[in-house]
Amino acid sequence: MIVIARLTVRELVRRRVVWVLAALTVLSVTLVAVGLDRLVSLARADGTNELEIRIGVSQVLILIAFMFSFVLAMTAAFVGAPAIGGELESGVALAILARPLRRAEVLLGRWLGSALIVVGYTAASGLLAIAVATQISGYGPPDPFLAVAFLSGQALVLLTLTLALGSVLPSIAAGAIAVVGFGLGWMAGVLAGVAAAFGVEVLGQVAEVSRWILPSDGLWRGVIYGLEPPLVVMLATGNLPRYADANPFYASAPPPLGFVIWSGVWIALVLGVSSWWFERRDL
Amino acid sequence: MSSPAIEFDGITKRYGRTTALDALSLRVGRGELVGLLGPNGAGKTTAVKLVLGLVRPTSGTGHVLGAPIGDRAARARIGYLPELFRYQPWLRAREVLTLHAELAGVAPGRRAAATAEALDRVGLTDRADDPVHDFSKGMQQRLGLGVALLGEPELILLDEPTSALDPVGRTDVRAIVRSARDRGATVILNSHLLTEVERVCDRVVILHRGRVIASGPLDEVVAADGVRLRVSDLDDAGRRVLAGFGPVSTDGDWLSIRPLDAARIPEVVAALVATGGRVHAVEPGRGSLEARFLELVTAPEEETA
Ligand SMILES: Nc1ncnc2c1ncn2[C@@H]1O[C@H](COP(=O)(O)OP(=O)(O)OP(=O)(O)O)[C@@H](O)[C@H]1O
Ligand SMILES: [Mg+2]
């Protein structure tokens, strides 16, 4: 398994995926820096008070994080889908799987190697962007590590899904399904908020179920929570407690511990079931 | 070491509604060099993949090197060149071999030597540090052969090993296969190049529609010499005379007698003429694996069933 994980990392380095990700990091952090710098200096010149700037910065960060989470979802899909599927299609897998190793070892090794790269990218890119934003505006989010951890969790969920699908479906289909699933999950999360706000119970239940089926959106709530200054939380809960939850860019509480544990279990389950399937399929 | 290298006991393999192998029973002893032949879709590749556990039988059982087919530990002692040979394009040839040496469980201290040996065996030493991506198809097949030979496996499965090779490469493969057998390894060779098979194999197994239609030592399977004749005005007396030389079969205007010693052809012609038959053409048929193969594979269903 470790051999395959090492091989995967080597592949991602050799195929320049890692360099592309590094370049993307530099690019996005630079954009954040320049954009925030302009925004904050303009606002200060206008005489906007520091509290408003602070709230503004946090909201901009959340928005950037959202876009970044989308980029991450795509990255996870592009790395995960061909990890198993690509080699099955090209025939490289035939020679490898004829060796004395379990197919599950190949699947888990592929997952481990890809996960290292994806989480490394998330952590480096996310923390760097937050550090730069803090440096420029003078305000940092309350819990950058929590936010990045949840962001990584979200990326891992998608990576797991594409890799698993890639072991039974053509890799293009696997990638497409995962990206669509990510979008649907996010929409279901929004719907759940709206449903809660307006008391539409059936809709709320459907959305809640979808959140457990694909935990990516639930984890996204954790990212927001880690980036949201307590002040915003206080303001929101004071004024419009019910309606505030309908906002997809707002979270009053981190995802419950049970949900975080479920996400871990979900990843293990998906890997387990796909290994079982993969072990039995004809090549 | 007494267990056979491969033993299939009534293995059936279906892919959906296609029956690739139909209750196939097969036995390959240790140290044999066996040619597995058959027309396209006969089930040769499927049989090889079953040995490795790459596909699972629908029913029936089999053993390889004393373990159930697909057994993980047994795979450490098997070398395999797939029909669809592809290796990580972003690795160098040497790295592909090192990876396989590691996966095959070659001791760390032996890996570099085993890799160098395999490269040398398949003539890729000069290109060892080039990425596989830049290799021609034949070079990739040579690399695949190197992978299959790595670590001196007890059983070597080669699925059409010369499909991309030039004549020099084919000669090399013959030498490689012979030296593996001389070392005591068992080799199974799938091929459509019957002359190649004829030159190296001790034994052949011919598959057709998932069943064995012929198997045995090469000289037993290969068609004997014979003759094909086009004759008119042949009467019953003539037919009786012909039957005296050997088994006769008809194919339109043509008659053939097989087996028949080529030295007796003039006798046959003289006898025919003596009974009033008019001989238009005489074609001596040299016995070959190809002739036998065509005979078997194009024979009507009833005869092969
Ligand atoms: N993965 C698969 N899915 C469905 N059918 C398959 C699959 N693999 C093989 N078959 C079918 O099984 C039969 C045997 O195929 P196989 O590849 O074993 O033939 P072969 O003897 O190796 O032929 P060739 O000489 O063309 O390589 C064919 O009818 C083929 O269509
Ligand atoms: Mg084949």
PDB file of all heavy atoms in Angstrom, chain B residues 13-43:
ATOM      1  N   LYS B  13     -16.456 -19.415 -17.926  1.00  0.00           N
ATOM      2  CA  LYS B  13     -16.437 -17.977 -17.677  1.00  0.00           C
ATOM      3  C   LYS B  13     -17.405 -17.300 -18.634  1.00  0.00           C
ATOM      4  O   LYS B  13     -17.285 -17.449 -19.851  1.00  0.00           O
ATOM      5  CB  LYS B  13     -15.021 -17.420 -17.872  1.00  0.00           C
ATOM      6  CG  LYS B  13     -14.938 -15.909 -17.752  1.00  0.00           C
ATOM      7  CD  LYS B  13     -15.291 -15.450 -16.361  1.00  0.00           C
ATOM      8  CE  LYS B  13     -15.563 -13.958 -16.307  1.00  0.00           C
ATOM      9  NZ  LYS B  13     -15.987 -13.532 -14.958  1.00  0.00           N
ATOM     10  N   ARG B  14     -18.375 -16.607 -18.074  1.00  0.00           N
ATOM     11  CA  ARG B  14     -19.311 -15.837 -18.906  1.00  0.00           C
ATOM     12  C   ARG B  14     -19.126 -14.368 -18.622  1.00  0.00           C
ATOM     13  O   ARG B  14     -18.947 -13.963 -17.479  1.00  0.00           O
ATOM     14  CB  ARG B  14     -20.762 -16.219 -18.587  1.00  0.00           C
ATOM     15  CG  ARG B  14     -21.129 -17.574 -19.107  1.00  0.00           C
ATOM     16  CD  ARG B  14     -22.636 -17.811 -19.092  1.00  0.00           C
ATOM     17  NE  ARG B  14     -22.870 -19.239 -19.185  1.00  0.00           N
ATOM     18  CZ  ARG B  14     -22.994 -20.040 -18.131  1.00  0.00           C
ATOM     19  NH1 ARG B  14     -22.981 -19.521 -16.921  1.00  0.00           N
ATOM     20  NH2 ARG B  14     -23.151 -21.330 -18.291  1.00  0.00           N
ATOM     21  N   TYR B  15     -19.167 -13.578 -19.680  1.00  0.00           N
ATOM     22  CA  TYR B  15     -19.250 -12.121 -19.523  1.00  0.00           C
ATOM     23  C   TYR B  15     -20.654 -11.767 -19.987  1.00  0.00           C
ATOM     24  O   TYR B  15     -20.911 -11.779 -21.186  1.00  0.00           O
ATOM     25  CB  TYR B  15     -18.272 -11.403 -20.437  1.00  0.00           C
ATOM     26  CG  TYR B  15     -16.810 -11.632 -20.118  1.00  0.00           C
ATOM     27  CD1 TYR B  15     -16.038 -12.468 -20.911  1.00  0.00           C
ATOM     28  CD2 TYR B  15     -16.198 -10.965 -19.062  1.00  0.00           C
ATOM     29  CE1 TYR B  15     -14.690 -12.648 -20.642  1.00  0.00           C
ATOM     30  CE2 TYR B  15     -14.855 -11.140 -18.797  1.00  0.00           C
ATOM     31  CZ  TYR B  15     -14.103 -11.989 -19.589  1.00  0.00           C
ATOM     32  OH  TYR B  15     -12.780 -12.157 -19.330  1.00  0.00           O
ATOM     33  N   GLY B  16     -21.544 -11.519 -19.062  1.00  0.00           N
ATOM     34  CA  GLY B  16     -22.920 -11.262 -19.468  1.00  0.00           C
ATOM     35  C   GLY B  16     -23.432 -12.475 -20.220  1.00  0.00           C
ATOM     36  O   GLY B  16     -23.445 -13.583 -19.680  1.00  0.00           O
ATOM     37  N   ARG B  17     -23.799 -12.318 -21.478  1.00  0.00           N
ATOM     38  CA  ARG B  17     -24.342 -13.446 -22.216  1.00  0.00           C
ATOM     39  C   ARG B  17     -23.303 -14.125 -23.100  1.00  0.00           C
ATOM     40  O   ARG B  17     -23.591 -15.127 -23.753  1.00  0.00           O
ATOM     41  CB  ARG B  17     -25.545 -12.999 -23.042  1.00  0.00           C
ATOM     42  CG  ARG B  17     -26.746 -12.731 -22.116  1.00  0.00           C
ATOM     43  CD  ARG B  17     -27.878 -12.033 -22.821  1.00  0.00           C
ATOM     44  NE  ARG B  17     -28.394 -12.772 -23.947  1.00  0.00           N
ATOM     45  CZ  ARG B  17     -28.905 -12.182 -25.030  1.00  0.00           C
ATOM     46  NH1 ARG B  17     -28.917 -10.878 -25.129  1.00  0.00           N
ATOM     47  NH2 ARG B  17     -29.386 -12.917 -26.002  1.00  0.00           N
ATOM     48  N   THR B  18     -22.075 -13.572 -23.122  1.00  0.00           N
ATOM     49  CA  THR B  18     -21.013 -14.202 -23.900  1.00  0.00           C
ATOM     50  C   THR B  18     -20.346 -15.277 -23.058  1.00  0.00           C
ATOM     51  O   THR B  18     -19.931 -15.005 -21.928  1.00  0.00           O
ATOM     52  CB  THR B  18     -19.919 -13.180 -24.248  1.00  0.00           C
ATOM     53  OG1 THR B  18     -20.549 -11.995 -24.698  1.00  0.00           O
ATOM     54  CG2 THR B  18     -18.966 -13.714 -25.279  1.00  0.00           C
ATOM     55  N   THR B  19     -20.234 -16.468 -23.593  1.00  0.00           N
ATOM     56  CA  THR B  19     -19.492 -17.502 -22.885  1.00  0.00           C
ATOM     57  C   THR B  19     -18.070 -17.508 -23.439  1.00  0.00           C
ATOM     58  O   THR B  19     -17.847 -17.870 -24.584  1.00  0.00           O
ATOM     59  CB  THR B  19     -20.146 -18.880 -23.081  1.00  0.00           C
ATOM     60  OG1 THR B  19     -21.488 -18.787 -22.607  1.00  0.00           O
ATOM     61  CG2 THR B  19     -19.417 -19.940 -22.294  1.00  0.00           C
ATOM     62  N   ALA B  20     -17.132 -17.047 -22.621  1.00  0.00           N
ATOM     63  CA  ALA B  20     -15.741 -16.972 -23.080  1.00  0.00           C
ATOM     64  C   ALA B  20     -15.065 -18.329 -22.942  1.00  0.00           C
ATOM     65  O   ALA B  20     -14.303 -18.746 -23.813  1.00  0.00           O
ATOM     66  CB  ALA B  20     -14.996 -15.903 -22.306  1.00  0.00           C
ATOM     67  N   LEU B  21     -15.328 -19.014 -21.830  1.00  0.00           N
ATOM     68  CA  LEU B  21     -14.783 -20.353 -21.628  1.00  0.00           C
ATOM     69  C   LEU B  21     -15.916 -21.280 -21.228  1.00  0.00           C
ATOM     70  O   LEU B  21     -16.743 -20.931 -20.390  1.00  0.00           O
ATOM     71  CB  LEU B  21     -13.711 -20.346 -20.524  1.00  0.00           C
ATOM     72  CG  LEU B  21     -12.433 -19.580 -20.828  1.00  0.00           C
ATOM     73  CD1 LEU B  21     -11.495 -19.649 -19.636  1.00  0.00           C
ATOM     74  CD2 LEU B  21     -11.746 -20.141 -22.062  1.00  0.00           C
ATOM     75  N   ASP B  22     -15.937 -22.453 -21.845  1.00  0.00           N
ATOM     76  CA  ASP B  22     -17.055 -23.361 -21.652  1.00  0.00           C
ATOM     77  C   ASP B  22     -16.550 -24.653 -21.019  1.00  0.00           C
ATOM     78  O   ASP B  22     -16.044 -25.536 -21.703  1.00  0.00           O
ATOM     79  CB  ASP B  22     -17.685 -23.618 -23.031  1.00  0.00           C
ATOM     80  CG  ASP B  22     -18.982 -24.389 -22.933  1.00  0.00           C
ATOM     81  OD1 ASP B  22     -19.411 -24.655 -21.803  1.00  0.00           O
ATOM     82  OD2 ASP B  22     -19.538 -24.719 -23.992  1.00  0.00           O
ATOM     83  N   ALA B  23     -16.661 -24.732 -19.695  1.00  0.00           N
ATOM     84  CA  ALA B  23     -16.228 -25.916 -18.952  1.00  0.00           C
ATOM     85  C   ALA B  23     -14.835 -26.391 -19.390  1.00  0.00           C
ATOM     86  O   ALA B  23     -14.628 -27.539 -19.763  1.00  0.00           O
ATOM     87  CB  ALA B  23     -17.246 -27.042 -19.108  1.00  0.00           C
ATOM     88  N   LEU B  24     -13.907 -25.462 -19.330  1.00  0.00           N
ATOM     89  CA  LEU B  24     -12.552 -25.751 -19.799  1.00  0.00           C
ATOM     90  C   LEU B  24     -11.751 -26.544 -18.762  1.00  0.00           C
ATOM     91  O   LEU B  24     -11.656 -26.150 -17.609  1.00  0.00           O
ATOM     92  CB  LEU B  24     -11.834 -24.431 -20.092  1.00  0.00           C
ATOM     93  CG  LEU B  24     -10.406 -24.541 -20.594  1.00  0.00           C
ATOM     94  CD1 LEU B  24     -10.378 -25.047 -22.024  1.00  0.00           C
ATOM     95  CD2 LEU B  24      -9.709 -23.191 -20.513  1.00  0.00           C
ATOM     96  N   SER B  25     -11.208 -27.655 -19.202  1.00  0.00           N
ATOM     97  CA  SER B  25     -10.293 -28.403 -18.345  1.00  0.00           C
ATOM     98  C   SER B  25      -8.943 -28.442 -19.047  1.00  0.00           C
ATOM     99  O   SER B  25      -8.877 -28.639 -20.249  1.00  0.00           O
ATOM    100  CB  SER B  25     -10.799 -29.815 -18.099  1.00  0.00           C
ATOM    101  OG  SER B  25     -11.984 -29.760 -17.344  1.00  0.00           O
ATOM    102  N   LEU B  26      -7.911 -28.230 -18.259  1.00  0.00           N
ATOM    103  CA  LEU B  26      -6.606 -28.000 -18.858  1.00  0.00           C
ATOM    104  C   LEU B  26      -5.558 -28.379 -17.826  1.00  0.00           C
ATOM    105  O   LEU B  26      -5.782 -28.203 -16.632  1.00  0.00           O
ATOM    106  CB  LEU B  26      -6.517 -26.486 -19.128  1.00  0.00           C
ATOM    107  CG  LEU B  26      -5.397 -25.935 -19.960  1.00  0.00           C
ATOM    108  CD1 LEU B  26      -5.664 -26.320 -21.409  1.00  0.00           C
ATOM    109  CD2 LEU B  26      -5.418 -24.409 -19.869  1.00  0.00           C
ATOM    110  N   ARG B  27      -4.446 -28.925 -18.296  1.00  0.00           N
ATOM    111  CA  ARG B  27      -3.390 -29.260 -17.352  1.00  0.00           C
ATOM    112  C   ARG B  27      -2.058 -28.963 -18.001  1.00  0.00           C
ATOM    113  O   ARG B  27      -1.786 -29.421 -19.115  1.00  0.00           O
ATOM    114  CB  ARG B  27      -3.492 -30.735 -16.998  1.00  0.00           C
ATOM    115  CG  ARG B  27      -2.762 -31.109 -15.751  1.00  0.00           C
ATOM    116  CD  ARG B  27      -2.765 -32.620 -15.646  1.00  0.00           C
ATOM    117  NE  ARG B  27      -1.496 -33.026 -15.098  1.00  0.00           N
ATOM    118  CZ  ARG B  27      -1.328 -33.353 -13.820  1.00  0.00           C
ATOM    119  NH1 ARG B  27      -2.350 -33.374 -13.010  1.00  0.00           N
ATOM    120  NH2 ARG B  27      -0.145 -33.679 -13.372  1.00  0.00           N
ATOM    121  N   VAL B  28      -1.258 -28.178 -17.322  1.00  0.00           N
ATOM    122  CA  VAL B  28       0.078 -27.874 -17.823  1.00  0.00           C
ATOM    123  C   VAL B  28       1.061 -28.303 -16.756  1.00  0.00           C
ATOM    124  O   VAL B  28       0.976 -27.847 -15.616  1.00  0.00           O
ATOM    125  CB  VAL B  28       0.229 -26.361 -18.112  1.00  0.00           C
ATOM    126  CG1 VAL B  28       1.650 -26.044 -18.545  1.00  0.00           C
ATOM    127  CG2 VAL B  28      -0.760 -25.909 -19.172  1.00  0.00           C
ATOM    128  N   GLY B  29       1.951 -29.205 -17.121  1.00  0.00           N
ATOM    129  CA  GLY B  29       2.916 -29.707 -16.142  1.00  0.00           C
ATOM    130  C   GLY B  29       4.062 -28.723 -15.953  1.00  0.00           C
ATOM    131  O   GLY B  29       4.281 -27.833 -16.765  1.00  0.00           O
ATOM    132  N   ARG B  30       4.815 -28.942 -14.860  1.00  0.00           N
ATOM    133  CA  ARG B  30       5.954 -28.071 -14.585  1.00  0.00           C
ATOM    134  C   ARG B  30       6.995 -28.217 -15.679  1.00  0.00           C
ATOM    135  O   ARG B  30       7.262 -29.337 -16.144  1.00  0.00           O
ATOM    136  CB  ARG B  30       6.593 -28.457 -13.259  1.00  0.00           C
ATOM    137  CG  ARG B  30       5.667 -28.366 -12.099  1.00  0.00           C
ATOM    138  CD  ARG B  30       5.746 -27.003 -11.475  1.00  0.00           C
ATOM    139  NE  ARG B  30       4.830 -26.955 -10.348  1.00  0.00           N
ATOM    140  CZ  ARG B  30       4.983 -26.133  -9.309  1.00  0.00           C
ATOM    141  NH1 ARG B  30       6.006 -25.306  -9.271  1.00  0.00           N
ATOM    142  NH2 ARG B  30       4.110 -26.130  -8.343  1.00  0.00           N
ATOM    143  N   GLY B  31       7.587 -27.093 -16.051  1.00  0.00           N
ATOM    144  CA  GLY B  31       8.679 -27.117 -17.001  1.00  0.00           C
ATOM    145  C   GLY B  31       8.241 -27.267 -18.449  1.00  0.00           C
ATOM    146  O   GLY B  31       9.083 -27.367 -19.332  1.00  0.00           O
ATOM    147  N   GLU B  32       6.944 -27.275 -18.696  1.00  0.00           N
ATOM    148  CA  GLU B  32       6.484 -27.386 -20.082  1.00  0.00           C
ATOM    149  C   GLU B  32       6.492 -26.018 -20.753  1.00  0.00           C
ATOM    150  O   GLU B  32       6.380 -24.988 -20.101  1.00  0.00           O
ATOM    151  CB  GLU B  32       5.052 -27.944 -20.120  1.00  0.00           C
ATOM    152  CG  GLU B  32       4.998 -29.433 -19.936  1.00  0.00           C
ATOM    153  CD  GLU B  32       3.606 -29.974 -20.249  1.00  0.00           C
ATOM    154  OE1 GLU B  32       2.615 -29.469 -19.709  1.00  0.00           O
ATOM    155  OE2 GLU B  32       3.539 -30.922 -21.039  1.00  0.00           O
ATOM    156  N   LEU B  33       6.603 -26.049 -22.078  1.00  0.00           N
ATOM    157  CA  LEU B  33       6.521 -24.821 -22.858  1.00  0.00           C
ATOM    158  C   LEU B  33       5.316 -25.019 -23.779  1.00  0.00           C
ATOM    159  O   LEU B  33       5.399 -25.775 -24.747  1.00  0.00           O
ATOM    160  CB  LEU B  33       7.818 -24.657 -23.654  1.00  0.00           C
ATOM    161  CG  LEU B  33       8.259 -23.250 -24.019  1.00  0.00           C
ATOM    162  CD1 LEU B  33       9.646 -23.285 -24.630  1.00  0.00           C
ATOM    163  CD2 LEU B  33       7.297 -22.534 -24.888  1.00  0.00           C
ATOM    164  N   VAL B  34       4.204 -24.428 -23.392  1.00  0.00           N
ATOM    165  CA  VAL B  34       2.949 -24.729 -24.058  1.00  0.00           C
ATOM    166  C   VAL B  34       2.460 -23.546 -24.880  1.00  0.00           C
ATOM    167  O   VAL B  34       2.466 -22.410 -24.409  1.00  0.00           O
ATOM    168  CB  VAL B  34       1.873 -25.109 -23.012  1.00  0.00           C
ATOM    169  CG1 VAL B  34       0.523 -25.321 -23.667  1.00  0.00           C
ATOM    170  CG2 VAL B  34       2.296 -26.350 -22.261  1.00  0.00           C
ATOM    171  N   GLY B  35       2.036 -23.812 -26.091  1.00  0.00           N
ATOM    172  CA  GLY B  35       1.437 -22.785 -26.934  1.00  0.00           C
ATOM    173  C   GLY B  35      -0.069 -22.857 -26.791  1.00  0.00           C
ATOM    174  O   GLY B  35      -0.655 -23.929 -26.933  1.00  0.00           O
ATOM    175  N   LEU B  36      -0.685 -21.731 -26.476  1.00  0.00           N
ATOM    176  CA  LEU B  36      -2.136 -21.676 -26.350  1.00  0.00           C
ATOM    177  C   LEU B  36      -2.653 -20.962 -27.595  1.00  0.00           C
ATOM    178  O   LEU B  36      -2.386 -19.772 -27.784  1.00  0.00           O
ATOM    179  CB  LEU B  36      -2.497 -20.910 -25.078  1.00  0.00           C
ATOM    180  CG  LEU B  36      -3.949 -20.937 -24.612  1.00  0.00           C
ATOM    181  CD1 LEU B  36      -4.441 -22.358 -24.425  1.00  0.00           C
ATOM    182  CD2 LEU B  36      -4.073 -20.170 -23.300  1.00  0.00           C
ATOM    183  N   LEU B  37      -3.337 -21.704 -28.440  1.00  0.00           N
ATOM    184  CA  LEU B  37      -3.738 -21.156 -29.733  1.00  0.00           C
ATOM    185  C   LEU B  37      -5.247 -21.106 -29.848  1.00  0.00           C
ATOM    186  O   LEU B  37      -5.968 -21.735 -29.091  1.00  0.00           O
ATOM    187  CB  LEU B  37      -3.193 -22.023 -30.865  1.00  0.00           C
ATOM    188  CG  LEU B  37      -1.752 -22.499 -30.719  1.00  0.00           C
ATOM    189  CD1 LEU B  37      -1.396 -23.422 -31.872  1.00  0.00           C
ATOM    190  CD2 LEU B  37      -0.819 -21.313 -30.684  1.00  0.00           C
ATOM    191  N   GLY B  38      -5.692 -20.395 -30.849  1.00  0.00           N
ATOM    192  CA  GLY B  38      -7.121 -20.321 -31.100  1.00  0.00           C
ATOM    193  C   GLY B  38      -7.450 -19.063 -31.858  1.00  0.00           C
ATOM    194  O   GLY B  38      -6.703 -18.088 -31.775  1.00  0.00           O
ATOM    195  N   PRO B  39      -8.564 -19.091 -32.594  1.00  0.00           N
ATOM    196  CA  PRO B  39      -8.942 -17.890 -33.349  1.00  0.00           C
ATOM    197  C   PRO B  39      -9.316 -16.743 -32.408  1.00  0.00           C
ATOM    198  O   PRO B  39      -9.432 -16.947 -31.203  1.00  0.00           O
ATOM    199  CB  PRO B  39     -10.156 -18.351 -34.157  1.00  0.00           C
ATOM    200  CG  PRO B  39     -10.672 -19.562 -33.471  1.00  0.00           C
ATOM    201  CD  PRO B  39      -9.517 -20.189 -32.769  1.00  0.00           C
ATOM    202  N   ASN B  40      -9.514 -15.544 -32.949  1.00  0.00           N
ATOM    203  CA  ASN B  40      -9.890 -14.393 -32.133  1.00  0.00           C
ATOM    204  C   ASN B  40     -11.160 -14.711 -31.344  1.00  0.00           C
ATOM    205  O   ASN B  40     -12.113 -15.260 -31.878  1.00  0.00           O
ATOM    206  CB  ASN B  40     -10.179 -13.163 -33.007  1.00  0.00           C
ATOM    207  CG  ASN B  40      -8.931 -12.666 -33.706  1.00  0.00           C
ATOM    208  OD1 ASN B  40      -8.950 -12.407 -34.893  1.00  0.00           O
ATOM    209  ND2 ASN B  40      -7.847 -12.546 -32.976  1.00  0.00           N
ATOM    210  N   GLY B  41     -11.120 -14.373 -30.068  1.00  0.00           N
ATOM    211  CA  GLY B  41     -12.304 -14.582 -29.238  1.00  0.00           C
ATOM    212  C   GLY B  41     -12.450 -16.002 -28.729  1.00  0.00           C
ATOM    213  O   GLY B  41     -13.467 -16.352 -28.141  1.00  0.00           O
ATOM    214  N   ALA B  42     -11.418 -16.820 -28.921  1.00  0.00           N
ATOM    215  CA  ALA B  42     -11.504 -18.221 -28.481  1.00  0.00           C
ATOM    216  C   ALA B  42     -11.487 -18.346 -26.960  1.00  0.00           C
ATOM    217  O   ALA B  42     -11.968 -19.325 -26.404  1.00  0.00           O
ATOM    218  CB  ALA B  42     -10.353 -19.016 -29.074  1.00  0.00           C
ATOM    219  N   GLY B  43     -10.907 -17.341 -26.295  1.00  0.00           N
ATOM    220  CA  GLY B  43     -10.853 -17.388 -24.833  1.00  0.00           C
ATOM    221  C   GLY B  43      -9.440 -17.515 -24.278  1.00  0.00           C
ATOM    222  O   GLY B  43      -9.266 -17.773 -23.093  1.00  0.00           O
TER     223      GLY B  43
END
